[in-house]
Amino acid sequence: MKDAEINDIAIDLFVEALYRRYGYDFRNYARASLKRRVKELALALGFNHVSELISPLLHDPAFVDQVVPKLSVPVTEMFRDPAVFLAMRRQVLPVLASYPRINIWQAGCATGEEVYSLAIMLKEEGLYDRARIYATDINDVALARAEEGIFALRHLKDFSANYLKAGGRQSLSDYYHAAYEHASMDRSLKENMVFARHNLASDGVFCEVNMIVCRNVLIYFDRLLQNRVLRLFRDSLIRQGFLCLGTRESLRFSEIGDDFAAVDEDQKLYRKVLIAVGES
Amino acid sequence: MSTRRWEAVVIGCSAGGLEVLRLILPGLPADFPLPVIVVSHTAADSGGLLAGLLGRYCRLAVSDADDKSPVTRGSIHVAPAGYHLLIEKDRTFALNTDPKVCNVRPSVDVLFETAAEAFSGRLIGVLLTGANEDGCRGMAAIKGGGGLTIAQSPETAFADTMPRSAISAGVVDQVLAPAAILARLLRLTTPQGPSPDMRQDTTGH
């Protein structure tokens, strides 16, 4: 048997152990990406083989807290894909402005860069006072950092360029305080943010929202889990609520494609139809 | 060599890559029997640009690879800017936004290593010009899995770090200039000598 095949067995056992011992369900994650992450985790912890992760995982309850954050490595930036935020500003926010309360769910918020981007945009459009952003993630470490809202200053130059391309009306530096190589996001941006742990693979609807932003999360899931999550999104959105996916993600081949219409297919902005056929 | 059934070609390049790709890919016929998958280090905001540029010169259809779509023949699949491109065991594409590998995303290593597992010994890996060492581990994975590895000859490369690092790591089977790489790809995918089908062709037309 080849090493690669033995490694596949070890990955299967590791995923199964994680699920049966702690309830973390990575069984329907896209396998190639997950495999690379598990391998890197094993290497980072000084193990030669993935199989060596399994014993501490089963017998040392503290070990799982080292493992899970490494399996959902968050990589994000402020106003990433500025054209998406520009389209949101122009095509979605004017519609949201007609609602007395605006609930937004950012699913898979990672370290929060996009949550702050949304807050800034809502503020500039005069909507933040009546908005609430629910920012959720499976990764507690990332969530804690998102809540802090402190980002390395070296990234802010790129973030500023994105912000301007996204239709920013001021200067990004108006929204943070720079000190010791870090940018601390303005406290007023955090007023209407709620951070919570939510597992897209196992948790259900927790509120009714006007818009869901979930970018570059679905690519980590297999088709089965993608469809589960998309149904969850459909059921969490109000009628004619908006959904924003990553630039390489699409509803085209999903089970719930008929429940949504494209607002802007290029920027992956969708809107739930008035009467969703698949809705129970 | 003619009886070997190759199943895919993966190509990696960086600085100067577009020019070399233009020397190779337009020479592939519309009925080239293998899927061709390309990673080029491009700026994250140049969405679809490389596929658009190459598409103008190629007889094969060129497009950005879509998440979960099958690896198909008759196409040149390009890694979309800003995403790593991976191949799943069932020979579908997967994308991710994991941290950069060798300071780049998409990374040649990520494509080559996952393709080496999906296609094992039936994969041809081609490493072209580039100014960093991305691709070296990927070539090792292809060779280790029994595949064929080809590097652009350093003296013909705009930047020679990429092919040179793989050559000095001892993971390259053949070192060739761009025109010879094209000729090799065509020869590897054409049965040597007239097959019964081809003989029929010459009399039948």
Side-chain angles (χ1 to χ4, degrees), chain A residues 236-260:
Chain A
S236 301
L237 281 170
I238 62 159
R239 284 180 179 178
Q240 299 199 289
F242 292 92
L243 174 62
C244 180
L245 300 176
T247 49
R248 304 301 305 179
E249 296 163 337
S250 175
L251 288 181
R252 260 178 300 166
F253 305 109
S254 75
E255 280 173 13
I256 61 144
D258 291 340
D259 294 339
F260 285 84

Side-chain angles (χ1 to χ4, degrees), chain A residues 21-226:
Chain A
R21 177 74 170 87
Y22 301 99
Y24 282 107
D25 193 351
F26 287 89
R27 293 174 301 173
N28 291 102
Y29 274 53
R31 202 34 84 97
S33 295
L34 180 67
K35 212 153 104 178
R36 287 190 73 86
R37 286 180 168 189
V38 177
K39 269 194 211 165
E40 273 158 31
L41 171 69
L43 278 178
L45 294 171
F47 296 126
N48 292 320
H49 300 106
V50 167
S51 56
E52 292 167 65
L53 292 167
I54 296 169
S55 176
L57 186 67
L58 289 176
H59 303 298
D60 173 9
F63 187 68
V64 71
D65 297 328
Q66 280 178 268
V67 166
V68 171
K70 296 269 166 41
L71 296 181
S72 53
V73 189
V75 181
T76 178
E77 48 187 86
M78 288 186 82
F79 297 97
R80 180 178 199 168
D81 305 315
V84 174
F85 282 88
L86 186 63
M88 215 186 279
R89 193 189 280 261
R90 287 183 176 160
Q91 298 178 67
V92 177
L93 297 197
V95 181
L96 295 186
S98 63
Y99 293 91
R101 303 261 337 142
I102 303 165
N103 286 332
I104 296 173
W105 177 16
Q106 167 123 43
C109 69
T111 41
E113 283 83 344
E114 285 196 354
V115 189
Y116 290 91
S117 308
L118 285 170
I120 289 169
M121 209 166 62
L122 288 162
K123 213 166 198 174
E124 293 188 354
E125 301 303 317
L127 301 175
Y128 191 57
D129 288 343
R130 55 184 147 126
R132 174 149 301 173
I133 307 176
Y134 297 94
T136 66
D137 205 279
I138 185 188
N139 183 336
D140 288 331
V141 176
L143 266 180
R145 282 185 52 201
E147 199 157 4
E148 267 181 0
I150 297 172
F151 304 118
L153 203 54
R154 65 177 187 279
H155 298 310
L156 266 293
K157 195 176 154 218
D158 288 340
F159 294 178
S160 290
N162 285 351
Y163 163 79
L164 293 173
K165 283 189 216 159
R169 296 185 196 279
Q170 304 187 73
S171 160
L172 188 59
S173 60
D174 295 343
Y175 298 101
Y176 64 82
H177 312 280
Y180 306 108
E181 306 297 314
H182 286 90
S184 175
M185 300 312 291
D186 194 86
R187 202 166 291 145
S188 71
L189 292 172
K190 300 182 194 177
E191 276 169 12
N192 299 330
M193 292 177 183
V194 178
F195 293 91
R197 176 152 143 197
H198 182 278
N199 186 342
L200 290 169
S202 52
D203 293 336
V205 174
F206 67 95
C207 65
E208 194 167 65
V209 296
N210 303 70
M211 175 163 82
I212 295 172
V213 179
C214 182
R215 306 178 64 227
N216 297 322
V217 175
L218 293 179
I219 46 176
Y220 286 97
F221 300 160
D222 71 9
R223 282 255 191 241
L224 201 75
L225 184 52
Q226 281 185 349

